[in-house]
Amino acid sequence: MNEDQQFEQARRRVKEKKAFYNHLTTYLVMGGFFFTLNMLTSPGTWWFYWPMLGWGIGVAIQYFKVFGLPGSGVGSKEWEDRELEKEMQRLNPNRRKPGLDLDSHLELRELDAEKQKEPSYRNDDLV
């Protein structure tokens, strides 16, 4: 991933977080408004929590989408990268993992030309 792609991904992530915090702020302000309205119009009957409950579910869903499941890492960027790599590996088992340079970790021994020509088994060994 080049620097421009990283910047775009970071910018998109910041926008998602900003949208969540704006949504949460609006939810809290409107909660206060609904509570006040409930107290002024019908103090004996509590109804303000019904719109707040539905709206709160929406805020919670947005939270999980942006930040993932707390404590589990599910939904986080790292989790997403791991799951993406697992899925790519499942779809193409011969695929190399990105950033892995096998040549730098392996020593390849030179094979004798004679050994390459002669099999390591005899025809008598075959069933």
Side-chain angles (χ1 to χ4, degrees):
M1 184 180 304
N2 66 26
E3 195 171 322
D4 290 337
Q5 289 172 329
Q6 288 175 341
F7 176 77
E8 279 303 312
Q9 188 175 16
R11 188 177 66 74
R12 191 169 44 252
R13 196 81 176 116
V14 168
K15 278 187 163 186
E16 288 174 355
K17 288 179 181 181
K18 182 180 177 183
F20 169 74
Y21 289 125
N22 286 338
H23 190 189
L24 180 62
T25 302
T26 305
Y27 171 75
L28 294 173
V29 168
M30 291 305 292
F33 172 75
F34 285 143
F35 179 75
T36 305
L37 187 63
N38 188 169
M39 291 298 104
L40 294 175
T41 59
S42 52
T45 306
W46 295 94
W47 56 261
F48 79 94
Y49 56 85
W50 289 112
M52 296 310 295
L53 179 65
W55 197 345
I57 291 170
V59 170
I61 289 170
Q62 186 178 14
Y63 174 86
F64 292 135
K65 181 178 180 274
V66 172
F67 297 104
L69 198 58
S72 71
V74 173
S76 69
K77 175 69 177 128
E78 293 78 21
W79 174 84
E80 188 176 325
D81 290 342
R82 283 192 312 270
E83 291 301 310
L84 180 62
E85 185 56 40
K86 283 182 195 175
E87 190 62 23
M88 293 294 288
Q89 190 65 32
R90 186 187 70 76
L91 292 173
N92 185 2
N94 298 326
R95 180 179 168 273
R96 284 197 227 175
K97 291 184 179 180
L100 183 62
D101 183 16
L102 293 179
D103 294 338
S104 67
H105 299 293
L106 297 177
E107 284 184 31
L108 298 177
R109 298 183 198 139
E110 294 294 326
L111 298 175
D112 294 333
E114 294 174 20
K115 286 186 179 179
Q116 288 181 355
K117 292 179 185 175
E118 296 177 16
S120 61
Y121 58 88
R122 296 186 330 230
N123 285 338
D124 300 356
D125 294 339
L126 300 176
V127 178

